[in-house]
Amino acid sequence: MTSKHRYIALAGLIALTIGWASCTKLDEKDYSNFVTASYYNNETEVLSAVLRPYTHTNAWITSSGQVGYWRVSELAGDQLAWPIKGVDGQDNGNWIRLHYHTWVIDDQDIVLNPWVLMYTGVGYCNDPIANLEQRTAAQMGISEDERVEYIAELHLLRAFYYLKLMDLYGNIPIVTEVGTPINPPTKPRDSVFQFCESEILAYKDQVPILSPSMVGRMSKAGAFAMLAELYLNAEKWTGHQRYNDCVAVCDSLINSTAGSQTGGAMALDSNLDMTYSNTNEQSQEIIFSIAYDFQKSTFRCNFNSDFYHFNEQYIYDGTENGNNGVVLIPGTYDKFDNRDLRKKDWFYIGPMYYLSATENAPDTTKPVLGYREYSGKPLVFVDNIRKNITLAPGQNPNTLPSDMTTGEENSGVRFNKYKPGRKSDPHYFSNDWAVYRLSWIYFAKAEALMRLNGGTATQPAVDLINAVRKRAFSTADWPSVMYTTANLTMSELLDERGREFIFEGWRRQDIIRFGTFSTGTWWDHKPDNDTTRQLFPIPLTTISNNPNLKQNPGY
Amino acid sequence: MKKLASLPILIALTIALVPGYANAQNRKLKGRVLASATNEPLSGVSVTVKGSSAGTTTTPDGRFSLSLNDTATLVFSFVGYDNQEIPVSSSDSVINVTLRPASHSLNEVVVIGYGTQKKRDVTSAVASVKPEDFNQGGARNVMDLVQGKVAGLTITRTSGTNPNTSPSIQLRSATSLTGSNSPLIIVDGIPGGNLDLLQQDDVASIDVLKDGSAAAIYGTQANGGVILVTTKKGRSGPPRFDYSTYFRKEFVRKRPDFMTAGQFRQRVESGQYPQLTNTYITAPYDANTDMFDSLVNRENLTQYHNLAISGGSENLNYRASIYYSRIEGIALANSRTQYGGRFSINGKGLDGRLTSQIDLVTNYNKANLNGGGQWESALARIPTLPIHDPTGKFYTSKLTSNPISDLAQTSNTRDQATNSLDAQFNLELIKGLKAGVFGSIMRDSRNDDQYQSLNSDPSLYNDLYPGGGYAYKGSTVISDYAFTPTLEYTHTFGSDHHLSAVAGYNYQYHVEVDDHQDNRGFFNDVFSNNNLGAGQALADGKADQYSFKSDEKLIAFFGRINYNYLERYFLQLSLRHEGSSKFGANHKWGNFPAVSAGWDLSREAFMRDVSFIDNLKLRAGYGVTGNSGISPYQSLVTLTTGGQYAYPDGVYRQTYGPGNNPNPDLRWEKKAETNIGVDFSMLHSRLTGSIDAFYRKTTDLLYNYNTQLPPFVQPNIYTNVGSMSSKGIELTVSGTLIRKEDFTWRMDVTASTTRNKMISLSNGTYKLSYFGLGGITGPGALGNALRITEGGAIGNFYGKRFAGFDSVGHWLFYKADGKTAVPLTEITESDLSVIGNAIPKYYLSWTNSFVYKKWDLRVFFRGRFGYKILNAMDLDYGNKFALPNNVLNVAFTKYARLNDTYQYSNYYLQPGGFFKLDNVTLGYTFQLNSNYIRNLRIYASGSNLAIFTRYKGNDPDFVEDTGLAPGIDAQGAYPSTRQFLVGLNLGF
């Protein structure tokens, strides 16, 4: 080898060595998606992550068209059902199994899906909590107070997720960090209860009170409401009653110590419609809601999907129809007194007409027509679930079978509690979905007082219920329908809860607490007398992926 | 693998044909030519005087005589034998020559990864196809040239002869569930080479690295095998011009038998079919429309021109080619126009120690994408519906499509420019040691334009802007960079130990940028899509705008050692250490080793007396490859949009949350493959071939699994779990059946068989017992046709078993016991079963090449056997349920009893096997004694001439047989056509 050759070889070796060092970097750069590691640099980025779990909460706590907490809570209850109507509503038998309480551990839709939705939301909370904790406020371009508030808000929202998960599944894993531990173990229900309570107590004073800028967010008011729900159900969920604590946290809200959406004092809304209207961000009584503004965003509450008929848009002069799904179980509508304004205001029943072009009333010259069996015929919603179309002349309609499989297109009384407004309305479909509202707190306190009093009404309890109920009656009717300590029994309280909170996603929890979930009969639902069913099973897919999970007793 | 016109002969002939060197011939030279092994006389051997036009051929007893002046060099050439050059002195008068059987094919150079090798030295499964073996009939895509030429290589044109589609390519069965199953294509060293940049006359060879030991040098890109394309390069000599051209026309070979307007009218009038009311035969339903026929482009004519100039000196030579082609499909508005060029220059410097090559390639093409896809809507359209209304306008309505109106009033084109530049420099540092560097850049840029005029259906019936025009512009730019420095060392120790080694570094960077925008609600058609801002939708916030960028990087260190002892025992070792940006932080890098060995038995002493064997080599190899053919960013946690929510200021803004679960363990799918093979050549090379048997197992298959939720955020994780295997046998045989003075008949056969199995879809953490795929399109939401189960074969059809019809024509299916026939409502999941398999068990292709004097004839057959196809056409349109839309006539004959909705079952599975007369080409080569014309051949070719099959649907050759969801016929298949072509090759 000549010296020239040696130099060349040496140069080659050096080049290779440098190459080795500098040309082996394989970091991946994503250009068109945000990567967590390089996010959280300014307040908008921070808020976009802090607010992410709320849009997800929409999916399961509201009647969103997905199978989440709302659907399983209402359709396993005694007020609402989604019967098969003609060719519609088979849906893999999901709604039938919910109604008859016959779900199975590998039910993908009605057992697994709520779990997946809700734990995904836990992840949407855990992820920004960790990221906010890892960074200084200065790094993120926010104040330290804001950093603390956002972290606290996410802790509270996560507690809300665990509260509702515990309501459905009871004994569940608690995870506070994404990915760790890989196989989290099952925690007994009372531990989950304690976790929720301690989280809420620890963070309730670090979040802002409710105010116009906190609409749709978890605030101090929301924290009190969650505590009220926990304490009201404590006896059922942990075996230890906490009614005194319940009364105390309810008072914090009733006394308006935690702000309100309007900035003034929190109070019951003065009329029946305000709370559900398309301007209900101005409701005085909403404590926590999922906020929507269909004008400022493309996002709206999807309640049409479950409730609306195929031709519903003509009834309210809107644009959205639905799947002709959820209806009132026969008997529910009759629980309303005919003088009860809610009975007229919150439901569709009877012949349906186009909304008049000139006034806010049906144009009785223009009937809305059916789509399936009643195609070409007027659409008339009826308070029964049977195939009236097969009725022979002279046949008694009560001889027709009536169960979850015998519906037809027009079966059942329909939802009209949230009203989107007509399509020309400047706030069309901008209704927020109320999760907690002050009326519910009134009911919770009243119930706690009665339970403390051995299941008998006290005057303060009666006053609370009457305060809510009074809005549903004319002044003239009121004296004859107001409650007294004599007629406000526990079962009357449950019925009144049903009337006031119908469609709001509470019914399963209520009738479990009142003891009729496993023992009650409603329409074609027979008592199962099996308390196992008061919890949903841990989904099979979940339990087979995580060996540290235990199935709920009885499944 | 050689043909009559093998290159050396061509050169010899060429030189011989150039006149002007011939001297006065004043003496006779006689001689005889014998075969070396048998000493039999060889008849018909070409004997030429080098540098002269003089020449002759040997007589049946092998004798020849020639007139010569002074000294000369004689060139003896004969099919199947090595050429031999014999210098003769002025005193020689008799000369006897023995020709050795062609080891020429064994000395042929085969391209392997980062180098070349003599075929004799190859130890792994490598197939090489040279131009003389390419398919004739005009390639739409360069891969068409080798369809059926390489055992185990499946090339399927699911869109028939549509000029704007590429074939799906797969080697030795699928290897991945969610990643790429296609082979890595390397063009002149450019990884991921773009096939648009290749014209058939520019290709010098296509080499296929089939087994793991051959492909492992390409690491994570090689699970699907590797196809190496080498283009023609310059050679020293005076400038040579080569011009090739062809013209082609296509004719529909078969069309689905739907009702004609007359048949439709009769059925309406019969009153037997409640859906066929009189409405459908009264105005506007009063026409006789053959919409399918109206979509056929009868005027189709395809042309191709390629002119290459090459030449230069020993130290600097060049080849430049330019081409133009316009391919017209059988459909209206379905064409592709291309032009471009390929320029290559080779230079030597530093006393020959430095060699260099620079290639610059370009392709511009314009594709009309509007047509070619309307066949189903044309067939199903009610045939009494007119194309035009009485006023001459297109007849349209919201509920009925009018493909002719669509084609006339909408446009959809792609303008594409692809360029590549590559350079290779090699410097011999010391004897035996070379340093090389290769670099390439390739850029593919596309501009897509669409316009829907005011009167087109999509505009007329648009919800938001009825009657307003729609315009779209999109562009994509894909750039690929590669850089590969190498060191090569060759040395012979003693005289018997031959060693060569190569080591190198490889860097590849791929970056892709897309954007598109559209607008709607244009007032008139004046702007088309040249003034995108003018539409109304933009002003209303309803126009769409999008851009996206992604990149990926691949880095590797590789090395290979080839060793042979006595040219009898061969050993090859290779290792690639490779990393990809796409994999998780814990598994960025992997190692891909390979070993293979060969034993040339024919060189052993004990074989010396086995005279009928010329060459016999045993090979065995084992290699590990990977698959990085997945989307980027799958191991990272990226934030995805969650919808807008109320910010404290009351504005609704977007929210972001983690869109996937982190998987720092995401890694390549890994394939280990064992291959054993034998290469043989016998009977003086009259019979040559290879047999290969392989077993491959792919582990760590990537799939989206349900994961632990909690603690993860999302319910799925893209992770490595399953494993699958395949095994198969491949056979390639070439035989010269007849070798006479004026006539040869050669036959080439390739055949292969493969079996696949999904070994596992689960591990300790993630479980899956099956997954469905092959969604059946069309009405009825029939779900998936295929299911992959643990332990099952790939390509299994899974569904109900047909048990007949009940008295009213409703479906009956069998319960799980296979005996009880029940109506649909009683069929549950447990009654479904495997009802067939969609992957052909056997592939066969058969080429017959005849040469008679100056005529050549090639007859090429190709077939697949032993599998089923779902006749989705019969399923959807062999059913009266589809009325009043037009249906197949079989709905009233074969399927007359059926009186029920669409159901998927084995009722519609039909044997898919076929044998096809794929191509017949007849050529004539002129031997002109001309100063100007070096060679001239004209030929005529017919393609897709006849098919033998029991399959009743569309052309089974166009039904997908690669990937994981094969075997489902299309409802709107591109028509199968017969193609006729005339072409010319001219050299001067």
Side-chain angles (χ1 to χ4, degrees), chain B residues 264 280 285 289 377-386 400 884-886:
Chain B
F264 184 85
Y280 297 110
Y285 293 86
T289 303
S377 56
L379 290 166
R381 192 172 187 265
I382 294 170
T384 52
L385 205 55
T400 59
N885 284 327
N886 201 355

Side-chain angles (χ1 to χ4, degrees), chain B residues 351-532:
Chain B
D351 285 341
R353 292 230 309 263
L354 176 69
T355 59
S356 65
Q357 179 188 314
I358 297 173
D359 300 310
L360 177 62
V361 196
T362 185
N363 171 283
Y364 301 100
N365 73 68
K366 183 146 189 163
N368 188 345
L369 302 172
N370 214 21
Q374 289 84 359
W375 304 105
E376 184 178 3
S377 56
L379 290 166
R381 192 172 187 265
I382 294 170
T384 52
L385 205 55
I387 294 176
H388 295 96
D389 69 15
T391 69
K393 283 192 193 152
F394 287 110
Y395 176 84
T396 71
S397 80
K398 194 167 183 172
L399 299 174
T400 59
S401 67
N402 185 340
I404 293 291
S405 150
D406 284 350
L407 291 182
Q409 303 192 88
T410 65
S411 67
N412 182 2
T413 59
R414 169 170 289 177
D415 232 330
Q416 187 172 10
T418 312
N419 300 289
S420 77
L421 170 66
D422 66 83
Q424 166 91 48
F425 297 92
N426 284 307
L427 179 66
E428 190 175 52
L429 299 173
I430 52 172
K431 187 166 167 38
L433 180 66
K434 269 198 272 184
V437 60
F438 171 84
S440 67
I441 172 168
M442 186 164 64
R443 172 175 286 209
D444 173 3
S445 67
R446 302 168 201 163
N447 284 303
D448 291 340
D449 291 295
Q450 292 172 27
Y451 187 72
Q452 294 163 359
S453 64
L454 304 191
N455 289 323
S456 67
D457 286 5
S459 294
L460 284 175
Y461 307 120
N462 182 264
D463 285 344
L464 292 171
Y465 298 96
Y470 169 82
Y472 169 97
K473 280 184 99 66
S475 78
T476 302
V477 178
I478 303 168
S479 306
D480 281 282
Y481 304 81
F483 172 67
T484 313
T486 51
L487 278 175
E488 254 183 273
Y489 181 68
T490 50
H491 192 69
T492 301
F493 299 91
S495 58
D496 299 330
H497 301 273
H498 306 278
L499 178 77
S500 66
V502 62
Y505 165 86
N506 179 218
Y507 173 90
Q508 295 177 35
Y509 180 67
H510 172 95
V511 56
E512 194 166 335
V513 182
D514 299 318
D515 65 82
H516 62 74
Q517 43 269 311
D518 68 8
N519 202 350
R520 200 178 267 292
F522 290 86
F523 301 167
N524 55 40
D525 294 328
V526 171
F527 294 138
S528 183
N529 63 351
N530 301 311
N531 187 352
L532 213 53

Side-chain angles (χ1 to χ4, degrees), chain A residues 256 324 343 365 429 544:
Chain A
S256 195
N324 202 29
K343 191 173 189 175
T365 65
F429 242 119
S544 51

Side-chain angles (χ1 to χ4, degrees), chain A residues 18 59 201 423 445 493 505:
Chain A
I18 294 167
L201 292 175
K423 55 181 179 270
K445 183 181 171 187
L493 180 65

